[in-house]
Amino acid sequence: MSIRTIRTGDEPCLHKKCRPVTDFDAKLHTLLDDLVDTMRDKEGVGLAAPQVGILRRVAVIDVEDGNGVYELVNPRIISSDGCQGGMEGCLSFPGETGYVERPNHVVVEAYDRNGDLWCYEGEGLFARAVFHEYDHLAGEVYLRLVTEPPPDWKEESEEEA
């Protein structure tokens, strides 16, 4: 396990569609472990393979919900609903944030490192992270979704103050 270099800005790997994983082997296990190590080192909640230069449909998410790390290999969104707006950032665009609206609820199917199919359902930060990483696998970055927040929107930290 090691920490990989996160690709940033206009690097081509961030803007290309990823290929499906076909081999659930030691190479995939190493990639998943490295993604987790890299994500944690940079204090992120998710990281996708293209962010470290690997054009495969692989991402990891850890939203500290007590379920540990979600391994998403060849993920497929089954359904989504609701809407949440909030500030979003990305490890590939350090120091940048913007207001993004995403579905508040998601059901996603994905394989784990052993090729076992799982179905995950969640809302809030989990849903936001799934859609953010899913976009990376399609060669999209969150900046294309940034808009002005509605006039009545307040960040949670502002509401608590």
Side-chain angles (χ1 to χ4, degrees):
M1 296 182 287
S2 64
I3 295 170
R4 298 199 185 193
T5 301
I6 294 179
R7 307 304 173 94
T8 59
D10 290 330
E11 291 195 47
C13 59
L14 295 174
H15 305 280
K16 292 184 179 178
K17 275 188 168 182
C18 295
R19 297 181 307 275
V21 170
T22 55
D23 297 322
F24 293 81
D25 55 11
K27 191 173 176 180
L28 174 63
H29 295 204
T30 298
L31 174 60
L32 285 161
D33 291 340
D34 290 355
L35 286 174
V36 171
D37 288 347
T38 305
M39 173 185 67
R40 288 185 172 151
D41 180 67
K42 299 298 181 190
E43 299 179 2
V45 297
L47 190 64
Q51 291 180 270
V52 296
I54 308 295
L55 294 175
R56 291 288 184 208
R57 292 186 53 78
V58 177
V60 295
I61 293 173
D62 187 357
V63 292
E64 297 183 1
D65 61 359
N67 293 318
V69 174
Y70 295 90
E71 296 178 343
L72 305 177
V73 179
N74 299 335
R76 185 170 72 98
I77 305 275
I78 302 301
S79 67
S80 65
D81 59 64
C83 183
Q84 63 172 311
M87 297 306 285
E88 199 165 306
C90 180
L91 296 175
S92 289
F93 298 91
E96 295 185 46
T97 60
Y99 179 85
V100 175
E101 290 187 350
R102 296 209 186 257
N104 189 50
H105 177 262
V106 67
V107 177
V108 60
E109 278 186 348
Y111 294 92
D112 66 11
R113 68 181 55 223
N114 300 311
D116 295 323
L117 184 62
W118 293 82
C119 184
Y120 303 111
E121 181 173 7
E123 52 190 35
L125 181 58
F126 176 75
R128 179 174 294 280
V130 167
F131 279 98
H132 183 103
E133 301 312 328
Y134 196 82
D135 281 353
H136 273 300
L137 303 180
E140 300 287 344
V141 297
Y142 86 103
L143 294 173
R144 73 180 171 82
L145 299 173
V146 171
T147 63
E148 287 295 317
D152 59 344
W153 181 80
K154 292 182 181 178
E155 281 192 78
E156 286 181 22
S157 59
E158 291 176 5
E159 292 172 0
E160 294 170 359

